[in-house]
Amino acid sequence: MTGDGRGDAGPVRVIDVSAPLADGLPAWPGDVPFRRVVTESHDAGDGCEVSHVTTTLHAGTHVDAPRHFGAGAPAVDELDPLLFLGPCRLVRVDVPPRDLVRPEHLEGVLDAPRVLVATGTLPDPDREFSRDFAALAPETVEALAEAGVRLVGIDAPSVDPFDSEDLPVHHALVRHGIVAIEGLRLAGVAPGRYDLVAVPLRIAGADASPVRALLLPPGTIRLS
Ligand SMILES: [Zn+2]
């Protein structure tokens, strides 16, 4: 989805790279799927519309806080919001399903503090959970850390492979203080430089939060 936001500087092209949060959005097997319940509605003659949701915090496009895998590690509300605002690099890698994104895939392009990796290995992520997504190799986290990357995003529902038990990538990210955004929707988005906006909700003490992830033209966000 794209749209035009109009500010003082004129129209800005906005690319929405987040999953729509709607009933039917697949959750990780065994986790609580997103569901919205309307308790008051205009159709029913109520004066207003009121709804609530039940959902895993790992629904659709979401930030994993270090707390997710590190006992005592920062929760989502303790992360610096500026991590989620600013220059990023979108990289499209050619990996088969179930394979790993390795350091060589990212050679020469780790030139931004935020890196988003498009694997293209999920055929229909808004309607069907696939176990065959490509994930990151643990060595890739070392390469990201060496390059000064603070945030890594991926179009897969996890940075580790589906059947990983010891979750080495999650742990390596926590060790290096790199936060992860999982479940990005990057199909059809051109690789290159952008500014990212993907701030998590301030959910106290939480392991994760859904985010609205947007790509803006590079240089749109000026924080200093
Ligand atoms: Zn997650």
Side-chain angles (χ1 to χ4, degrees):
M1 190 182 103
T2 59
D4 286 321
R6 286 177 190 275
D8 290 346
V12 173
R13 187 175 143 78
V14 177
I15 305 173
D16 196 325
V17 290
S18 39
L21 290 173
D23 289 22
L25 177 70
W28 191 271
D31 206 350
V32 177
F34 177 92
R35 186 161 167 260
R36 189 169 76 92
V37 178
V38 178
T39 48
E40 291 183 49
S41 74
H42 301 297
D43 284 350
D46 300 319
C48 55
E49 181 155 314
V50 179
S51 61
H52 64 268
V53 300
T54 52
T55 183
T56 171
L57 292 179
H58 300 260
T61 310
H62 65 279
V63 165
D64 269 0
R67 175 69 57 86
H68 185 36
F69 282 103
V76 76
D77 59 319
E78 295 169 317
L79 299 173
D80 182 352
L82 294 180
L83 279 173
F84 306 95
L85 291 172
C88 82
R89 160 74 69 178
L90 169 58
V91 188
R92 193 164 287 287
V93 294
D94 192 13
V95 281
R98 281 193 177 260
D99 210 331
L100 297 175
V101 177
R102 301 179 195 283
E104 50 268 34
H105 289 117
L106 305 179
E107 228 169 74
V109 293
L110 296 181
D111 55 359
R114 300 165 194 81
V115 172
L116 310 183
V117 182
T119 70
T121 52
L122 285 109
D124 192 3
D126 291 332
R127 286 198 294 190
E128 203 182 331
F129 187 89
S130 168
R131 300 173 181 222
D132 297 334
F133 57 83
L136 301 181
E139 314 87 79
T140 302
V141 180
E142 305 304 319
L144 294 170
E146 244 167 67
V149 172
R150 306 289 316 283
L151 177 152
V152 64
I154 193 164
D155 54 0
S158 175
V159 288
D160 275 295
F162 178 77
D163 43 18
S164 173
E165 277 173 16
D166 47 355
L167 303 162
V169 172
H170 279 90
H171 288 292
L173 290 172
V174 171
R175 210 164 49 241
H176 288 293
I178 301 172
V179 294
I181 298 182
E182 296 165 332
L184 286 163
R185 298 296 187 257
L186 299 171
V189 184
R193 285 183 150 281
Y194 296 91
D195 280 357
L196 173 73
V197 178
V199 184
L201 296 176
R202 195 175 179 182
I203 307 174
D207 51 296
S209 166
V211 294
R212 183 75 180 263
L214 306 173
L215 297 179
L216 312 174
T220 308
I221 299 174
R222 292 188 193 85
L223 293 170
S224 56

